[in-house]
Amino acid sequence: MRSRHFPLWTLLGVALVVALVVGSGLLSSSPPTAAQRASAIESVIRCPTCEDLSVAESSAPTAVTVRATVRQLIAEGRSDQQIEDYLSARYGSSIVLDPPASGWSLLVWVLPVAAGVIAAGLVVAVVARRRRRGTDVLDADVRGPSTDPVALAERRRFLTQSLSDADAEYLAGDLSDADYLSLRQRDLARLAALGPVATSADGPGAVTAGTPGSSELSAVSGATATGTLLDDPDRVAGDVDARVEPSVDLTDRARRRGRNKWFLVAAVGCFAAALALAVPVFSSHRLPGQSATGSIDLSPSQQVQRSLDQAAAVENQDQLGEAAQLYQSILDANPDNEVALAQLGWLEYRIGQQGASTTLLNDARAKLNQAAVLNPGDYAVHLYLGTLLLQLDGNAAEAVAQFTQFLADRPPASVVAQAASVLRQAYLAAGRPIPSQIPTV
Amino acid sequence: MTDLATPPAPPVPPSPPPTRHTARWAGLLILVVAAGLIAVLATRPPATVSEVQNPLVGHASPRISGTTVDGSTFSLPAVPGKFVVVNFFASWCIPCQSEGPNLVQFNFEHQQSGDAQLVSVVFDDSASNARDYQAKLGATWPTLADSGGDLALAFGVRESPSTFLIAPDGRVVAYIVAPVTAADLDQLIARAKATGA
Amino acid sequence: MNGTLGHIGVLLGFAGAVVGIVVLGVGLARGRTNTLRGGQVYAPVILLGGLVAVVAMEHALITHDFSLSYVAQNNSRETPWLYSITGLWSALAGSILLWGVVLGGYATAMVWRFRKRAGDELVGWATLVVYVVSAFFFGLMLGPADPFTHVVGAIPADGTGPNSLLQDNPLVLIHPPMLYLGLVGFTLPFAFAIASLITGRLDEDWQGETRRWTLFAWAFLSMGILLGAWWSYQVLGWGGFWGWDPVENAALLPWLVGTAYLHSVMVQQRRGLLRIWNLSLVVAAFSLTILGTFLTRSGVLESVHSFSESTIGPLLLGFFGLVLFTGVGLIAWRGDRLRSAGGIDSPISREGAFLANNLLFVGFAFVVLLGTVFPLLYEALNNGTQVGIGAPYFNRFFVPVGLALLFLMAVAPALPWRKSSVEVMRGRLAVPAAIGVLVVVVCVLAGVHGIEPLLAFGLGAFAAASAGRSLVLSVRGSVRAARVGGASTGRAALSGWRGFVGRANGGMVVHIGVVVVAIGLAAATSYLQRGTLHLAKGQSTTFAGHTVEFVGTRVVTSPSRSSFQAVLRVDGRGMFYPAVTQFGAGTSTVGTPAIDSGWRDDVYLTINNIPQSSSGSGTTTVWTFGVVEQPLVMWLWIGAGLIGFGSILSAIPGRRRRPTDPVSAPVSGVAPPPDPELDRDTGSPDDASDDRLPVGAGDAP
């Protein structure tokens, strides 16, 4: 039996380890991206206005603010601990869902581990102690058998019951031959170590020969346990195994083992078939970037596009501040993304105009110029630059230059229509004819 | 050969094994720990009464500046030179509504003496709602919109109403997380003055 | 009138308990069996008192009798009848009433079951303990938690209505009663444990006799906890179903200890081992139910559930102390007599596995208790500074413990009693292990990543296959037994159904249910994706493999609620309506999520932001929706159903045989000579060993 199962288990072990190593991504691990770090930190920061939710899970406005702050701090290059400290300095240490590993709260980490170690240690110690002192004597009688007749009777009962129990287990095939013999030997030795049964005190505690109703078993266990052994007080306990015979014929057990093999082959075959069917079925309905479990693994460019769409939608909702933050976060992850740069510049211009902030307006100008350098063919940048030049500087000539480039970049008609009034203004102020593309307002 | 004349020595009765009272010691230990736990649980006040500690108290306050709900900007220097009461509120928050008239009274009292400035900050609410609310209240002091929630984060605000008292040198000296009255604020200012703020 | 009737009911229950205590006390002190028998009659009196009070309260709720302050605070004229009925347990005082009536029911059932042994001193003590607990809870209702107090001043025309979250979903009808049926049920095994400790009759199989009651209580507690998770998933709006909330933990703690007890008591029944463990587990389980009641009702911890009421806290805490001191004190006193003569023969045996099981469950219960109570301790020791312990802490310990438990669940059903060896186990577990490894390989090939979920899937498959193996063997054994008994092949095959009932087989079905829950849990928490969708009307977008289209909005009003709903079409098929709902006349609104449940994943939709109507610039208004996609959430609820089903199967009596007969004896009870010709495969000795009485039972002590 051992030789048949051994290669199987080795194969299973190897397959499992390989699969786990591949699946856990150990081979292809890279340092966590900013998004992964943000997600990890967000799941341990409590949402300030909720009960028991992390900022990752909550949609409350305070949670949104905290998430944005976390991303900003990551972009600034702070470590995870520094970010947690930053938030704790403002909200108090209870903002972190994980207790700090210092001071009294170290207890909450140490106690469970210590309890586990102590429990494991106790178990190991008990097992080792038993093995050391040998198991011929019952636990309760380690220091010598009790003289109390009630206790003695209880122990005899326990041992006799254990013997017949072992017989039944062996009959059913649960105990191997070696295990059965060793258990039997040990319990008989223990019975012997209890001392001779004092016949006068044998009243209610008398050992019944096995258990009623199973005549065959009682003959076996009763005979060897009580009859032969205890009749001869000179027989040393160590001689037991010479006299112990297993009570059941061993030959029929070999027959059963052959059947397990077919069970195994059938199971493997079924699962191979299921695998052959399942993988094509699950892989057929996937969207690009989606794995079989349905999770989408977008490529970086797809992720960026999705973020840009979101930011644009927020901008359309006139939430300039939030849109600006979203664009900023895109820029932090992708400093060369010209679209985000241009949009952010434009937003800064609008916000700067609202609040009359010269720093913002200067920064807007710088960003838009930079965006124009990065992608001269983007019509939006030229439109923004032109508007800025016209409205802020009053420089109609430069504005017209930008607008000409804007029109040359083939913008969609709807955009031209929207910008029509500004365009006309610039051309008129510069004294240039209005191009035909611009619809009459 | 055994000597038959000498009687065999009487059998020595085995000494009873010493009893180990493991169960009693373990039980005692468990009971002591449980007693400690019960003592702690019994003496702790219910959660609704106690205040949340704010780590800002005693430290420099964050810069108070930003856009108001009317669209203009407002900012205070880092060392304001007078007491500043910063009140975080929302138009839907019922305790804030009960606090509003108290703030009006406080503002009126200190506008003349000029020793305290009241600033309201919108928390978890829209600027337009807050503007209408303040207008209805008759508030004449600046109300910052804090649309991104950054000021609330800087102050560590978790609920409304939250009121901070900032001393003239820029340190946060008090934090109240319940509706305040003008008398409460005056008391706090007096206490801060007495301790040399 | 309702109030008076209610007061009468509560008084009746309290009086019944107190008189019962006195009568039984006299009977026990004087040793009079007739007095003891007489004392049993007070259990139905307690039940009757509780029922009268419940009827009075329900009548008041349904007829909107606002003269009672409880009704005025938890009911209103617009409240639908369903939520009026559930108003009984929506708040503190009513929940104590529910506890009291359930306890009365259990007391009556216990008295009925043991009526033939009513003169027995041990039964008398157990009934006394149950009366003491009843007296406490009914006494609470006479004092601080009185549900029938009258409104001070004028009777209001309309009540404030129940808490919005409690009238959002019909599950509120089932979850609390099931939870209470579970929690209160642990009183019975506790009572018997105390009784056997006091009388010193520790060899008899009281634990075994009350095992079916414990299983009943455990099953309801499991269902209650899982229903609570389902309810919170459907109502709370954050997309999760378990937050390690203090109140959730309060129900989980007795469950953990109770599960350990259910398994460990099998060892005691079979060989009389682990007695101290079992008594300690039972005392701990009941004490934890009282501690949990204290934590959730005293306002000490704020959470989604807590009824904050400060006067009841010290009383519950005091009762907890009393229970704990009595239980632990008695065990410590009797401790040395409790030791069994022998020990576990080998670590590789079912006894060893159950001991490991005990250690794991108790260890994890310790972690949960520590995490729940620690913030309070910290604050007390540190002058008010607070510390937060949330889900990340608990999950960190839950994952390794859960994986270890899955492994034990896989190995233990194949483990024989007494002693085994690695060779034997290798032989038995080859097929289940192969299935487990195959599942991991298939998952990795299909693109699943992450070591923890992969281990969970693999070990789960291993455990399910091992349970399946046990069931197959058990069915074959039943068929064989029928054939031996003389049935034809067809009839014998049909009687294979017996392989599914009985303690061990029902337990295997429960294990399969637990594995399904574990797999759903691992998938949902490891692969969830959260996002926000910004959609204008008519727009659609994709998220995590699903398309979501914002079709429009609608408003649904009813007398008790008005709900502003967004109509979303998911995947071009179903319409879902996340909403912002306002209940009654109050201005507070709650967000109601909409869930598209499927076999592969759930799409969870909430409204995060409705744009203000005054946004200029002519662009279409954009709504913000929260979306959470979680795979295999449905499996959680299916697994819950399997656990319930398995518990029912477990309660159906299995093959009856005389307890001491060998395993292969047929059902009729006549022991045949062992026949080597019969296909006696590695049978499951579990069924026989279930009913085997431990050492000494039946013998005169």
Side-chain angles (χ1 to χ4, degrees):
Chain A
M1 178 176 74
R2 195 190 166 103
S3 60
R4 200 186 76 232
H5 284 294
F6 189 63
L8 171 74
W9 282 91
T10 328
L11 174 68
L12 286 179
V14 168
L16 182 67
V17 169
V18 167
L20 284 176
V21 166
V22 169
S24 66
L26 276 175
L27 296 177
S28 59
S29 69
S30 43
T33 66
Q36 284 171 331
R37 278 185 66 197
S39 169
I41 297 176
E42 282 163 17
S43 62
V44 294
I45 301 289
R46 188 188 299 267
C47 155
T49 43
C50 325
E51 299 192 29
D52 279 337
L53 285 184
S54 69
V55 287
E57 295 156 349
S58 165
S59 55
T62 46
V64 173
T65 312
V66 171
R67 287 204 293 261
T69 310
V70 167
R71 281 159 211 238
Q72 186 186 334
L73 292 172
I74 289 179
E76 285 175 18
R78 304 213 196 180
S79 73
D80 291 358
Q81 186 59 48
Q82 285 174 325
I83 296 177
E84 285 182 20
D85 292 340
Y86 180 93
L87 291 169
S88 300
R90 283 150 183 77
Y91 283 108
S93 53
S94 61
I95 198 73
V96 181
L97 281 169
D98 255 347
S102 63
W104 281 103
S105 59
L106 195 55
L107 268 183
V108 86
W109 296 106
V110 163
L111 276 180
V113 176
V117 165
I118 290 175
L122 276 176
V123 168
V124 166
V126 167
V127 170
R129 189 175 56 187
R130 283 224 195 116
R131 215 167 271 166
R132 223 184 8 248
R133 70 150 195 264
T135 51
D136 284 349
V137 180
L138 282 175
D139 284 351
D141 293 327
V142 167
R143 290 186 176 78
S146 164
T147 47
D148 174 25
V150 171
L152 269 180
E154 183 198 332
R155 286 152 172 71
R156 263 186 242 282
R157 242 189 345 253
F158 177 78
L159 287 170
T160 322
Q161 183 69 33
S162 296
L163 280 169
S164 65
D165 180 67
D167 289 337
E169 291 298 308
Y170 183 63
L171 260 183
D174 264 355
L175 280 179
S176 69
D177 314 332
D179 287 337
Y180 173 63
L181 287 174
S182 76
L183 279 177
R184 194 170 172 74
Q185 169 188 340
R186 188 184 63 187
D187 282 341
L188 287 171
R190 286 168 168 178
L191 256 182
L194 279 182
V197 178
T199 42
S200 57
D202 243 352
V207 174
T208 51
T211 49
S214 47
S215 48
E216 179 201 302
L217 283 180
S218 63
V220 170
S221 57
T224 49
T226 58
T228 355
L229 219 50
L230 298 175
D231 277 346
D232 191 352
D234 285 329
R235 191 171 298 280
V236 180
D239 267 1
V240 163
D241 49 11
R243 296 218 14 126
V244 163
E245 282 139 11
S247 52
V248 175
D249 181 15
L250 288 171
T251 53
D252 57 309
R253 296 159 60 76
R255 209 166 303 181
R256 285 175 244 159
R257 296 183 190 142
R259 283 167 234 263
N260 278 337
K261 179 176 66 179
W262 296 114
F263 215 148
L264 187 61
V265 170
V268 172
C270 280
F271 273 90
L275 174 64
L277 283 172
V279 174
V281 165
F282 278 124
S283 15
S284 59
H285 298 300
R286 286 192 236 166
L287 295 177
Q290 186 185 4
S291 70
T293 49
S295 59
I296 287 225
D297 216 357
L298 291 174
S299 68
S301 58
Q302 286 171 321
Q303 280 177 347
V304 169
Q305 189 53 50
R306 194 167 92 176
S307 307
L308 281 174
D309 291 341
Q310 277 185 337
V314 174
E315 188 181 349
N316 285 342
Q317 212 186 326
D318 267 347
Q319 295 204 339
L320 302 183
E322 195 186 332
Q325 273 174 342
L326 284 168
Y327 281 124
Q328 183 64 54
S329 62
I330 298 173
L331 264 180
D332 295 333
N334 309 277
D336 290 328
N337 190 298
E338 177 269 335
V339 175
L341 189 60
Q343 290 301 123
L344 183 58
W346 179 238
L347 275 171
E348 285 188 352
Y349 172 69
R350 288 173 66 184
I351 298 173
Q353 283 249 327
Q354 268 186 351
S357 157
T358 37
T359 35
L360 265 179
L361 292 170
N362 288 336
D363 197 44
R365 193 197 298 267
K367 282 202 163 62
L368 287 172
N369 282 322
Q370 198 184 346
V373 167
L374 278 176
N375 185 1
D378 182 8
Y379 63 81
V381 182
H382 296 295
L383 179 62
Y384 297 149
L385 268 175
T387 314
L388 186 146
L389 286 165
L390 180 69
Q391 293 180 340
L392 204 58
D393 297 342
N395 190 338
E398 286 278 338
V400 164
Q402 289 290 337
F403 287 146
T404 318
Q405 268 189 294
F406 159 68
L407 291 169
D409 285 334
R410 246 107 53 90
S414 54
V415 176
V416 179
Q418 266 188 319
S421 61
V422 173
L423 293 167
R424 297 174 77 81
Q425 228 183 324
Y427 278 94
L428 284 172
R432 301 275 289 275
I434 298 173
S436 53
Q437 286 162 285
I438 304 172
T440 45
V441 178
Chain B
M1 290 287 292
T2 53
D3 187 356
L4 293 172
T6 355
V12 178
S15 58
T19 42
R20 278 179 1 210
H21 296 289
T22 328
R24 293 195 194 165
W25 287 114
L28 194 63
L29 178 65
I30 294 175
L31 286 182
V32 165
V33 169
L37 174 67
I38 292 177
V40 168
L41 290 175
T43 52
R44 188 197 183 282
T48 48
V49 169
S50 63
E51 279 187 17
V52 176
Q53 288 279 2
N54 189 298
L56 265 189
V57 175
H59 298 258
S61 98
R63 276 304 292 280
I64 301 162
S65 70
T67 322
T68 67
V69 291
D70 307 313
S72 53
T73 48
F74 174 82
S75 104
L76 282 173
V79 179
K82 53 186 166 174
F83 284 95
V84 182
V85 174
V86 184
N87 173 267
F88 287 83
F89 76 103
S91 60
W92 45 261
C93 145
I94 314 250
C96 309
Q97 291 166 8
S98 71
E99 184 184 53
N102 300 335
L103 292 175
V104 173
Q105 183 191 351
F106 176 81
N107 186 53
F108 178 68
E109 287 168 6
H110 288 267
Q111 227 168 16
Q112 299 153 335
S113 58
D115 65 342
Q117 163 81 52
L118 180 57
V119 180
S120 283
V121 184
V122 181
F123 179 69
D124 213 355
D125 197 3
S126 75
S128 51
N129 283 351
R131 184 178 51 223
D132 298 338
Y133 170 83
Q134 291 287 69
K136 219 164 40 155
L137 186 61
T140 54
W141 60 89
T143 305
L144 296 177
D146 195 26
S147 56
D150 295 313
L151 201 53
L153 193 149
F155 273 94
V157 177
R158 293 220 226 179
E159 58 203 287
S160 50
S162 292
T163 310
F164 294 81
L165 177 64
I166 301 173
D169 63 359
R171 276 181 311 121
V172 176
V173 293
Y175 169 56
I176 307 104
V177 76
V180 291
T181 64
D184 291 335
L185 291 171
D186 288 333
Q187 242 178 356
L188 288 167
I189 291 176
R191 190 184 69 188
K193 277 187 188 160
T195 53
Chain C
M1 218 287 276
N2 289 319
T4 321
L5 195 60
H7 275 134
I8 291 176
V10 171
L11 268 172
L12 190 60
F14 182 69
V18 169
V19 174
I21 293 173
V22 169
V23 170
L24 282 178
V26 166
L28 287 166
R30 304 278 176 89
R32 296 195 196 144
T33 53
N34 281 330
T35 318
L36 286 180
R37 282 206 190 91
Q40 306 289 22
V41 80
Y42 297 99
V45 170
I46 299 175
L47 176 63
L48 182 65
L51 282 175
V52 165
V54 164
V55 164
M57 179 55 87
E58 290 288 15
H59 183 252
L61 285 165
I62 295 176
T63 56
H64 307 303
D65 176 5
F66 297 119
S67 66
L68 295 178
S69 63
Y70 184 83
V71 178
Q73 286 159 4
N74 292 295
N75 193 279
S76 68
R77 286 198 197 283
E78 303 87 37
T79 311
W81 64 269
L82 179 71
Y83 298 110
S84 294
I85 293 181
T86 66
L88 175 66
W89 48 76
S90 306
L92 171 67
S95 68
I96 302 284
L97 177 55
L98 182 65
W99 192 294
V101 77
V102 172
L103 190 53
Y106 271 113
T108 310
M110 176 179 111
V111 158
W112 176 258
R113 163 87 166 79
F114 291 100
R115 66 191 181 281
K116 299 241 175 71
R117 290 183 266 185
D120 186 347
E121 176 193 32
L122 196 149
V123 174
W125 276 110
T127 321
L128 179 72
V129 170
V130 174
Y131 285 165
V132 169
V133 179
S134 310
F136 173 72
F137 279 99
F138 277 90
L140 277 182
M141 279 193 276
L142 287 179
D146 189 353
F148 298 103
T149 50
H150 276 268
V151 169
V152 173
I155 296 178
D158 198 0
T160 48
N163 186 337
S164 318
L165 285 176
L166 292 175
Q167 44 174 335
D168 213 7
N169 190 300
L171 273 174
V172 71
L173 183 62
I174 324 179
H175 160 62
M178 293 201 102
L179 203 62
Y180 280 45
L181 275 169
L183 289 172
V184 178
F186 279 107
T187 316
L188 290 191
F190 173 74
F192 276 100
I194 298 290
S196 61
L197 279 168
I198 292 178
T199 56
R201 283 153 61 174
L202 300 156
D203 288 338
E204 297 168 35
D205 188 26
W206 293 103
Q207 314 282 42
E209 292 209 47
T210 52
R211 196 185 177 277
R212 209 162 259 151
W213 297 95
T214 317
L215 177 66
F216 186 75
W218 178 90
F220 275 110
L221 185 57
S222 312
M223 289 298 104
I225 291 174
L226 287 165
L227 277 175
W230 193 22
W231 181 19
S232 113
Y233 180 66
Q234 304 235 332
V235 161
L236 289 180
W238 60 287
F241 33 81
W242 188 264
W244 299 104
D245 193 59
V247 175
E248 291 169 340
N249 293 348
L252 184 66
L253 282 167
W255 183 86
L256 289 169
V257 176
T259 309
Y261 173 71
L262 270 183
H263 288 84
S264 171
V265 81
M266 283 195 248
V267 177
Q268 178 173 339
Q269 269 194 290
R270 204 165 176 288
R271 300 198 59 228
L273 304 173
L274 297 185
R275 279 191 290 195
I276 302 187
W277 264 107
N278 292 333
L279 285 167
S280 311
L281 285 172
V282 144
V283 168
F286 182 66
S287 313
L288 285 169
T289 61
I290 305 292
L291 182 66
T293 313
F294 163 74
L295 286 175
T296 58
R297 280 160 186 57
S298 64
V300 157
L301 294 164
E302 278 192 25
S303 83
V304 177
H305 287 76
S306 66
F307 319 98
S308 19
E309 177 71 50
S310 50
T311 51
I312 205 177
L315 286 168
L316 278 168
L317 195 57
F319 189 62
F320 167 70
L322 176 68
V323 164
L324 193 62
F325 275 61
T326 311
V328 174
L330 281 170
I331 295 177
W333 173 48
R334 291 282 192 200
D336 304 303
R337 276 188 60 176
L338 284 169
R339 289 183 188 288
S340 50
I344 295 180
D345 294 309
S346 154
I348 308 181
S349 65
R350 200 174 287 194
E351 291 98 330
F354 281 158
L355 181 61
N357 188 53
N358 276 359
L359 288 170
L360 280 170
F361 270 109
V362 169
F364 187 60
F366 174 66
V367 168
V368 172
L369 181 62
L370 184 65
T372 310
V373 163
F374 192 79
L376 302 170
L377 296 175
Y378 187 85
E379 203 181 318
L381 293 171
N382 273 299
N383 270 342
T385 23
Q386 291 193 330
V387 74
I389 296 187
Y393 172 78
F394 294 104
N395 285 328
R396 204 153 296 171
F397 289 101
F398 177 58
V399 171
V401 168
L403 291 175
L405 283 172
L406 278 176
F407 178 73
L408 267 185
M409 253 200 289
V411 166
L415 263 179
W417 295 94
R418 300 302 300 277
K419 192 170 172 181
S420 183
S421 58
V422 180
E423 283 74 29
V424 170
M425 295 314 297
R426 272 214 274 247
R428 291 185 177 189
L429 290 175
V431 171
I435 292 175
V437 172
L438 256 162
V439 164
V440 174
V441 168
V442 166
C443 287
V444 171
L445 287 177
V448 174
H449 54 89
I451 191 168
E452 289 167 354
L454 280 174
L455 272 176
F457 296 149
L459 285 171
F462 186 22
S466 178
R469 171 189 168 273
S470 287
L471 283 172
V472 164
L473 290 173
S474 167
V475 168
R476 279 166 64 171
S478 303
V479 171
R480 210 182 313 138
R483 267 216 310 253
V484 166
S488 66
T489 325
R491 292 278 289 286
L494 274 181
S495 71
W497 69 268
R498 286 186 180 277
F500 282 100
V501 301
R503 186 165 82 184
N505 305 316
M508 290 299 105
V509 175
V510 170
H511 276 194
I512 293 179
V514 172
V515 165
V516 171
V517 167
I519 290 180
L521 201 59
T525 49
S526 309
Y527 303 118
L528 73 75
Q529 299 187 67
R530 275 178 201 280
T532 15
L533 306 176
H534 301 275
L535 291 172
K537 279 185 210 175
Q539 277 187 331
S540 74
T541 182
T542 56
F543 184 80
H546 297 272
T547 46
V548 179
E549 182 194 343
F550 182 13
V551 174
T553 61
R554 67 179 198 186
V555 177
V556 174
T557 48
S558 76
S560 62
R561 57 159 82 181
S562 77
S563 164
F564 186 27
Q565 301 179 345
V567 183
L568 295 172
R569 194 198 306 265
V570 176
D571 290 335
R573 287 190 321 254
M575 304 289 240
F576 296 92
Y577 309 98
V580 174
T581 312
Q582 185 171 348
F583 289 94
T587 51
S588 70
T589 54
V590 290
T592 320
I595 310 172
D596 175 13
S597 293
W599 290 105
R600 279 191 31 192
D601 59 11
D602 272 24
V603 179
Y604 193 94
L605 299 158
T606 48
I607 301 181
N608 281 1
N609 191 22
I610 304 178
Q612 310 288 359
S613 48
S614 62
S615 72
S617 83
T619 51
T620 47
T621 54
V622 172
W623 289 47
T624 313
F625 297 101
V627 62
V628 185
E629 185 261 349
Q630 300 181 81
L632 302 189
V633 172
M634 187 100 104
W635 289 39
L636 281 166
W637 323 129
I638 294 174
L642 272 175
I643 292 176
F645 180 54
S647 305
I648 295 176
L649 287 177
S650 192
I652 297 175
R655 295 186 275 169
R656 289 221 177 274
R657 57 175 76 245
R658 255 187 315 204
T660 50
D661 281 353
V663 174
S664 52
V667 181
S668 58
V670 173
D675 185 358
E677 293 307 313
L678 279 183
D679 178 18
R680 278 200 312 253
D681 205 339
T682 51
S684 45
D686 324 336
D687 287 323
S689 59
D690 297 349
D691 311 306
R692 192 190 292 249
L693 294 175
V695 179
D699 293 337

